[in-house]
Amino acid sequence: MTDTQVRDAGGKPILVIGGGIAGVTAAIEAAEAGCTVMLVEKLPYLGGRVTRSFKYFPKLCPPGCGLEINIRRIKGQSGIEVLTQAAVDHISGSAGDLEATITIAPRYVTDACTMCDKCVEVCPAERPDDFNLGMGKTKAVYLPHRLAFPATYVIDRAACAAGCTACRDACAYGAIDLTQPPARRTVRVAAVVAATGWAPYDATKLANLGYGKYPNVVTNVMVERLAAPDGPTKGRIVRPSDGQAPASVAFVQCAGSRDENHLPYCSAVCCAASLKQVTYLRELYPDAKITIFYIDIRTPGRLEDFYVKVSADPHLTLIKGKVAQVEEDPETHDVIVTAEDVMHGRKVTERVNLLVLATGIVPESAGLPAGFTLDAFGFVARANKTGFHAAGCVARPEDVSATVQGATGAAMKALQAVVRSAHHG
Ligand SMILES: Cc1cc2nc3c(=O)[nH]c(=O)nc-3n(C[C@H](O)[C@H](O)[C@H](O)COP(=O)(O)OP(=O)(O)OC[C@H]3O[C@@H](n4cnc5c(N)ncnc54)[C@H](O)[C@@H]3O)c2cc1C
């Protein structure tokens, strides 16, 4: 059975939970093979965490390009229904015949929105800008980010002042409905793909590394937003304490990962991510002194070329050794890093203007409905016979190219259940 024959034969849809690169890929691949897909994303936009990255390793291209191509593929596919601000509450049944209930939170802005921005101009209330990890604010009515899909504003009602109707009064198109109720859907599907991705490890749990205590200790995900031209500093990677350009920066690899007290596994992408962030810094600050403290540099496969290229930087020093302690000079807010230098069998102490913690990847599986098989760390089993599959970083830490391949595989496994459901009714 091929292409639209699957749909025509009455195969049930596939439910994809999570609209990051994994979920978007699984949805597109399944739809292009002839399936109907329901793609459920909890945020008001698709794209997931890569939309917050400035560039992709190893090619150092902007993630927005890939996102735009995928959005075009979704728009050209009548077989995909996208539900944003949505959550799957419950799934029952068995492979080939599952029933899912979905709740969709109101957006309060309708399709009549022309993105004229008038509502934002008049809105008196502010909220933390979650797209920029809380570094900066948006109005209560906001467009999540510049390439957001759906390209529609959304209102965070929790941030609105009681009784305020300023945005609705200012909207010339009648596109604001402050009384919109939540919606509920029940759907029958053949299979489910969990693609709910990852969250950064909570750096405040790494007590010896000073995050949350010293302003100039930041995390790798923060650096992605600081480096982005549409980020809170308009692309300048600066010290949070004084907004000054750093002349010296250090990275702490395995901040949480490969540590039995935190995440015993390797987060797979952090070495390449830090090397990528070295290129951001180098472009901004040609003479900045950069140090990477690492346990092992792990850049498998073709990423080896990226490692060789970046590590040739004459102002970059790689020190093999775990960071034991991070302190702060209270006058300058410089950060003082004490580490072991394994290769030279000595203790090193380095003073830097900015410290970046390469925090690891934690699976975002807690919000999934029951039915998925989870391991001890919360990663979801990729494929089994139950009709519950997984793709992307909720299955294991991996980069975008591995995610895309795994998501295509998950779509294939889900497709098998659809074809079986078409044969057996
Ligand atoms: C600092 C850093 C830099 C990186 N840089 C690169 C790079 O340059 N190149 C590269 O190849 N890889 C990079 N990566 C890895 C890359 O971010 C991941 O491969 C990618 O995000 C995996 O996509 P995903 O779809 O699995 O997860 P996510 O991007 O996390 O997407 C998951 C989606 O699911 C949604 N979701 C979560 N829970 C629910 C729920 N219960 N219901 C509905 N929706 C839900 C989320 O809102 C999100 O939209 C980097 C990682 C880090 C930590």
Side-chain angles (χ1 to χ4, degrees):
M1 206 180 283
T2 55
D3 200 23
T4 50
Q5 284 176 293
V6 178
R7 243 175 266 161
D8 297 344
K12 294 191 191 75
I14 293 172
L15 175 64
V16 178
I17 313 177
I21 187 69
V24 163
T25 303
I28 292 171
E29 294 298 336
E32 289 183 356
C35 281
T36 308
V37 180
M38 188 168 271
L39 177 57
V40 173
E41 165 57 50
K42 71 172 178 183
L43 294 178
Y45 58 90
L46 295 185
R49 296 213 174 250
V50 294
T51 54
R52 300 181 196 176
S53 273
F54 172 39
K55 290 181 186 173
Y56 271 161
F57 62 70
K59 288 191 180 160
L60 302 179
C61 49
C65 293
L67 183 65
E68 272 188 305
I69 292 167
N70 279 326
I71 297 306
R72 217 177 309 137
R73 286 171 81 190
I74 287 180
K75 284 183 180 163
Q77 257 304 333
S78 59
I80 305 179
E81 184 178 5
V82 177
L83 301 177
T84 49
Q85 303 211 107
V88 178
D89 306 316
H90 181 71
I91 302 177
S92 57
S94 53
D97 190 19
L98 298 161
E99 190 176 275
T101 50
I102 302 166
T103 306
I104 306 141
R107 203 175 182 101
Y108 303 106
V109 181
T110 70
D111 292 344
C113 173
T114 62
M115 298 176 71
C116 70
D117 217 42
K118 196 79 198 151
C119 54
V120 176
E121 282 169 32
V122 300
C123 176
E126 287 188 327
R127 61 187 281 283
D129 182 355
D130 44 1
F131 187 75
N132 280 323
L133 308 165
M135 296 183 286
K137 296 206 157 151
T138 73
K139 292 290 188 70
V141 56
Y142 64 102
L143 185 67
H145 67 94
R146 139 189 101 81
L147 293 175
F149 176 82
T152 313
Y153 288 66
V154 58
I155 300 177
D156 180 350
R157 289 292 274 151
C160 295
C164 178
T165 57
C167 56
R168 189 184 65 194
D169 302 343
C171 181
Y173 305 94
I176 291 179
D177 176 1
L178 296 172
T179 61
Q180 238 175 31
R184 225 175 143 75
R185 295 267 296 267
T186 300
V187 284
R188 280 182 72 201
V189 298
V192 197
V193 177
T196 47
W198 60 279
Y201 187 64
D202 178 0
T204 59
K205 291 184 180 163
L206 305 161
N208 62 326
L209 299 182
Y211 179 79
K213 200 158 136 205
Y214 308 134
N216 294 327
V217 179
V218 298
T219 65
N220 51 4
V221 284
M222 290 168 75
V223 170
E224 292 296 328
R225 294 314 305 145
L226 293 172
D230 61 343
T233 52
K234 309 260 176 292
R236 294 176 63 238
I237 303 176
V238 289
R239 297 186 357 140
S241 69
D242 53 13
Q244 292 299 308
S248 55
V249 182
F251 288 81
V252 179
Q253 294 310 113
C254 296
S257 307
R258 301 179 70 198
D259 182 334
E260 294 208 339
N261 296 314
H262 299 281
L263 308 172
Y265 52 84
C266 169
S267 288
V269 296
C270 322
C271 288
S274 291
L275 290 165
K276 173 183 71 169
Q277 293 179 354
V278 167
T279 70
Y280 299 169
L281 286 160
R282 187 56 69 229
E283 204 162 292
L284 291 167
Y285 311 121
D287 301 320
K289 187 172 168 290
I290 306 173
T291 307
I292 297 181
F293 293 97
Y294 67 96
I295 304 177
D296 299 292
I297 292 288
R298 290 186 168 170
T299 48
R302 295 298 307 275
L303 287 174
E304 176 71 5
D305 299 345
F306 185 59
Y307 162 62
V308 169
K309 194 170 159 209
V310 178
S311 61
D313 181 324
H315 300 301
L316 170 67
T317 309
L318 289 130
I319 298 180
K320 184 176 173 72
K322 250 189 117 87
V323 171
Q325 197 181 18
V326 170
E327 292 160 296
E328 188 200 49
D329 176 339
E331 270 178 33
T332 61
H333 294 295
D334 281 349
V335 182
I336 299 146
V337 183
T338 305
E340 190 190 0
D341 178 350
V342 174
M343 302 305 254
H344 298 96
R346 62 182 181 191
K347 189 171 121 179
V348 286
T349 299
E350 198 161 313
R351 172 186 281 261
V352 291
N353 297 147
L354 184 71
L355 183 69
V356 182
L357 306 184
T359 45
I361 281 185
V362 180
E364 275 267 280
S365 53
L368 283 170
F372 293 93
T373 308
L374 270 57
D375 73 10
F377 310 114
F379 289 106
V380 183
R382 271 180 185 265
N384 49 49
K385 292 198 165 60
T386 61
F388 287 77
H389 309 294
C393 285
V394 78
R396 69 170 185 211
E398 58 187 12
D399 65 11
V400 169
S401 88
T403 294
V404 167
Q405 289 166 35
T408 307
M412 177 68 194
K413 292 305 286 181
L415 197 61
Q416 291 170 2
V418 175
V419 173
R420 277 196 296 271
S421 80
H423 281 309
H424 304 301

PDB file of all heavy atoms in Angstrom, residues 239 248-250 289 291 333-337 350-355:
ATOM      1  N   ARG A 239      28.993  39.927  29.679  1.00  0.00           N
ATOM      2  CA  ARG A 239      28.872  39.506  31.078  1.00  0.00           C
ATOM      3  C   ARG A 239      27.549  40.004  31.656  1.00  0.00           C
ATOM      4  O   ARG A 239      27.271  41.208  31.606  1.00  0.00           O
ATOM      5  CB  ARG A 239      30.018  40.106  31.904  1.00  0.00           C
ATOM      6  CG  ARG A 239      31.347  39.637  31.473  1.00  0.00           C
ATOM      7  CD  ARG A 239      32.511  40.059  32.296  1.00  0.00           C
ATOM      8  NE  ARG A 239      32.366  40.931  33.419  1.00  0.00           N
ATOM      9  CZ  ARG A 239      33.030  40.775  34.562  1.00  0.00           C
ATOM     10  NH1 ARG A 239      33.853  39.737  34.703  1.00  0.00           N
ATOM     11  NH2 ARG A 239      32.912  41.626  35.539  1.00  0.00           N
ATOM     12  N   SER A 248      38.143  36.969  28.578  1.00  0.00           N
ATOM     13  CA  SER A 248      38.497  35.570  28.855  1.00  0.00           C
ATOM     14  C   SER A 248      37.232  34.806  29.225  1.00  0.00           C
ATOM     15  O   SER A 248      36.383  35.310  29.969  1.00  0.00           O
ATOM     16  CB  SER A 248      39.521  35.503  29.997  1.00  0.00           C
ATOM     17  OG  SER A 248      39.010  36.190  31.127  1.00  0.00           O
ATOM     18  N   VAL A 249      37.115  33.610  28.664  1.00  0.00           N
ATOM     19  CA  VAL A 249      35.921  32.778  28.883  1.00  0.00           C
ATOM     20  C   VAL A 249      36.379  31.346  29.111  1.00  0.00           C
ATOM     21  O   VAL A 249      37.320  30.878  28.444  1.00  0.00           O
ATOM     22  CB  VAL A 249      34.991  32.810  27.632  1.00  0.00           C
ATOM     23  CG1 VAL A 249      33.729  31.977  27.873  1.00  0.00           C
ATOM     24  CG2 VAL A 249      34.617  34.233  27.245  1.00  0.00           C
ATOM     25  N   ALA A 250      35.745  30.653  30.049  1.00  0.00           N
ATOM     26  CA  ALA A 250      36.025  29.217  30.213  1.00  0.00           C
ATOM     27  C   ALA A 250      34.724  28.433  30.092  1.00  0.00           C
ATOM     28  O   ALA A 250      33.641  28.953  30.405  1.00  0.00           O
ATOM     29  CB  ALA A 250      36.694  28.936  31.551  1.00  0.00           C
ATOM     30  N   LYS A 289      40.705  35.044  25.270  1.00  0.00           N
ATOM     31  CA  LYS A 289      41.359  33.802  25.710  1.00  0.00           C
ATOM     32  C   LYS A 289      40.238  32.853  26.145  1.00  0.00           C
ATOM     33  O   LYS A 289      39.403  33.209  26.981  1.00  0.00           O
ATOM     34  CB  LYS A 289      42.261  34.164  26.889  1.00  0.00           C
ATOM     35  CG  LYS A 289      43.142  33.070  27.371  1.00  0.00           C
ATOM     36  CD  LYS A 289      44.101  33.668  28.421  1.00  0.00           C
ATOM     37  CE  LYS A 289      44.834  32.586  29.170  1.00  0.00           C
ATOM     38  NZ  LYS A 289      44.030  31.797  30.073  1.00  0.00           N
ATOM     39  N   THR A 291      39.183  28.840  27.420  1.00  0.00           N
ATOM     40  CA  THR A 291      39.645  27.549  27.956  1.00  0.00           C
ATOM     41  C   THR A 291      38.450  26.604  28.025  1.00  0.00           C
ATOM     42  O   THR A 291      37.364  27.015  28.441  1.00  0.00           O
ATOM     43  CB  THR A 291      40.207  27.732  29.383  1.00  0.00           C
ATOM     44  OG1 THR A 291      41.190  28.779  29.353  1.00  0.00           O
ATOM     45  CG2 THR A 291      40.848  26.450  29.896  1.00  0.00           C
ATOM     46  N   HIS A 333      33.643  40.718  39.904  1.00  0.00           N
ATOM     47  CA  HIS A 333      32.725  39.650  39.466  1.00  0.00           C
ATOM     48  C   HIS A 333      33.379  38.695  38.472  1.00  0.00           C
ATOM     49  O   HIS A 333      32.687  37.997  37.728  1.00  0.00           O
ATOM     50  CB  HIS A 333      31.404  40.209  38.920  1.00  0.00           C
ATOM     51  CG  HIS A 333      30.579  40.902  39.971  1.00  0.00           C
ATOM     52  ND1 HIS A 333      30.034  40.227  41.041  1.00  0.00           N
ATOM     53  CD2 HIS A 333      30.249  42.205  40.117  1.00  0.00           C
ATOM     54  CE1 HIS A 333      29.398  41.099  41.805  1.00  0.00           C
ATOM     55  NE2 HIS A 333      29.510  42.311  41.275  1.00  0.00           N
ATOM     56  N   ASP A 334      34.704  38.692  38.432  1.00  0.00           N
ATOM     57  CA  ASP A 334      35.408  37.653  37.669  1.00  0.00           C
ATOM     58  C   ASP A 334      35.171  36.313  38.361  1.00  0.00           C
ATOM     59  O   ASP A 334      34.885  36.259  39.563  1.00  0.00           O
ATOM     60  CB  ASP A 334      36.920  37.927  37.637  1.00  0.00           C
ATOM     61  CG  ASP A 334      37.267  38.991  36.614  1.00  0.00           C
ATOM     62  OD1 ASP A 334      36.393  39.351  35.809  1.00  0.00           O
ATOM     63  OD2 ASP A 334      38.428  39.468  36.628  1.00  0.00           O
ATOM     64  N   VAL A 335      35.328  35.255  37.588  1.00  0.00           N
ATOM     65  CA  VAL A 335      35.078  33.917  38.128  1.00  0.00           C
ATOM     66  C   VAL A 335      36.424  33.189  38.228  1.00  0.00           C
ATOM     67  O   VAL A 335      37.238  33.239  37.293  1.00  0.00           O
ATOM     68  CB  VAL A 335      34.111  33.140  37.198  1.00  0.00           C
ATOM     69  CG1 VAL A 335      33.796  31.778  37.773  1.00  0.00           C
ATOM     70  CG2 VAL A 335      32.826  33.932  36.992  1.00  0.00           C
ATOM     71  N   ILE A 336      36.646  32.552  39.366  1.00  0.00           N
ATOM     72  CA  ILE A 336      37.929  31.853  39.569  1.00  0.00           C
ATOM     73  C   ILE A 336      37.664  30.344  39.590  1.00  0.00           C
ATOM     74  O   ILE A 336      36.900  29.849  40.421  1.00  0.00           O
ATOM     75  CB  ILE A 336      38.615  32.342  40.858  1.00  0.00           C
ATOM     76  CG1 ILE A 336      38.896  33.855  40.690  1.00  0.00           C
ATOM     77  CG2 ILE A 336      39.921  31.588  41.123  1.00  0.00           C
ATOM     78  CD1 ILE A 336      38.784  34.624  41.958  1.00  0.00           C
ATOM     79  N   VAL A 337      38.275  29.675  38.633  1.00  0.00           N
ATOM     80  CA  VAL A 337      38.003  28.249  38.424  1.00  0.00           C
ATOM     81  C   VAL A 337      39.204  27.435  38.904  1.00  0.00           C
ATOM     82  O   VAL A 337      40.339  27.698  38.508  1.00  0.00           O
ATOM     83  CB  VAL A 337      37.791  27.966  36.915  1.00  0.00           C
ATOM     84  CG1 VAL A 337      37.436  26.501  36.672  1.00  0.00           C
ATOM     85  CG2 VAL A 337      36.720  28.875  36.339  1.00  0.00           C
ATOM     86  N   GLU A 350      42.277  29.342  37.359  1.00  0.00           N
ATOM     87  CA  GLU A 350      42.196  30.310  36.248  1.00  0.00           C
ATOM     88  C   GLU A 350      41.119  31.354  36.546  1.00  0.00           C
ATOM     89  O   GLU A 350      40.012  31.005  36.966  1.00  0.00           O
ATOM     90  CB  GLU A 350      41.851  29.539  34.970  1.00  0.00           C
ATOM     91  CG  GLU A 350      42.163  30.349  33.740  1.00  0.00           C
ATOM     92  CD  GLU A 350      42.280  29.487  32.496  1.00  0.00           C
ATOM     93  OE1 GLU A 350      42.965  28.447  32.527  1.00  0.00           O
ATOM     94  OE2 GLU A 350      41.667  29.886  31.499  1.00  0.00           O
ATOM     95  N   ARG A 351      41.468  32.606  36.316  1.00  0.00           N
ATOM     96  CA  ARG A 351      40.504  33.701  36.514  1.00  0.00           C
ATOM     97  C   ARG A 351      39.934  34.071  35.139  1.00  0.00           C
ATOM     98  O   ARG A 351      40.691  34.333  34.201  1.00  0.00           O
ATOM     99  CB  ARG A 351      41.234  34.908  37.109  1.00  0.00           C
ATOM    100  CG  ARG A 351      40.394  36.168  37.183  1.00  0.00           C
ATOM    101  CD  ARG A 351      41.245  37.326  37.634  1.00  0.00           C
ATOM    102  NE  ARG A 351      41.455  37.297  39.075  1.00  0.00           N
ATOM    103  CZ  ARG A 351      40.741  38.035  39.940  1.00  0.00           C
ATOM    104  NH1 ARG A 351      39.795  38.847  39.517  1.00  0.00           N
ATOM    105  NH2 ARG A 351      41.001  37.969  41.226  1.00  0.00           N
ATOM    106  N   VAL A 352      38.616  34.060  35.009  1.00  0.00           N
ATOM    107  CA  VAL A 352      37.997  34.407  33.726  1.00  0.00           C
ATOM    108  C   VAL A 352      36.884  35.432  33.923  1.00  0.00           C
ATOM    109  O   VAL A 352      36.319  35.539  35.010  1.00  0.00           O
ATOM    110  CB  VAL A 352      37.424  33.160  32.994  1.00  0.00           C
ATOM    111  CG1 VAL A 352      38.523  32.247  32.496  1.00  0.00           C
ATOM    112  CG2 VAL A 352      36.432  32.387  33.856  1.00  0.00           C
ATOM    113  N   ASN A 353      36.560  36.138  32.830  1.00  0.00           N
ATOM    114  CA  ASN A 353      35.479  37.130  32.909  1.00  0.00           C
ATOM    115  C   ASN A 353      34.096  36.482  32.851  1.00  0.00           C
ATOM    116  O   ASN A 353      33.110  37.035  33.347  1.00  0.00           O
ATOM    117  CB  ASN A 353      35.574  38.126  31.749  1.00  0.00           C
ATOM    118  CG  ASN A 353      36.837  38.941  31.763  1.00  0.00           C
ATOM    119  OD1 ASN A 353      37.361  39.310  30.708  1.00  0.00           O
ATOM    120  ND2 ASN A 353      37.373  39.233  32.945  1.00  0.00           N
ATOM    121  N   LEU A 354      34.025  35.321  32.181  1.00  0.00           N
ATOM    122  CA  LEU A 354      32.725  34.656  31.995  1.00  0.00           C
ATOM    123  C   LEU A 354      32.942  33.152  32.009  1.00  0.00           C
ATOM    124  O   LEU A 354      33.904  32.649  31.397  1.00  0.00           O
ATOM    125  CB  LEU A 354      32.148  35.085  30.639  1.00  0.00           C
ATOM    126  CG  LEU A 354      30.752  34.590  30.278  1.00  0.00           C
ATOM    127  CD1 LEU A 354      29.686  35.287  31.128  1.00  0.00           C
ATOM    128  CD2 LEU A 354      30.450  34.875  28.795  1.00  0.00           C
ATOM    129  N   LEU A 355      32.050  32.433  32.694  1.00  0.00           N
ATOM    130  CA  LEU A 355      32.149  30.963  32.742  1.00  0.00           C
ATOM    131  C   LEU A 355      30.867  30.365  32.170  1.00  0.00           C
ATOM    132  O   LEU A 355      29.764  30.774  32.542  1.00  0.00           O
ATOM    133  CB  LEU A 355      32.335  30.496  34.190  1.00  0.00           C
ATOM    134  CG  LEU A 355      32.523  28.988  34.375  1.00  0.00           C
ATOM    135  CD1 LEU A 355      33.870  28.523  33.814  1.00  0.00           C
ATOM    136  CD2 LEU A 355      32.431  28.600  35.854  1.00  0.00           C
TER     137      LEU A 355
END
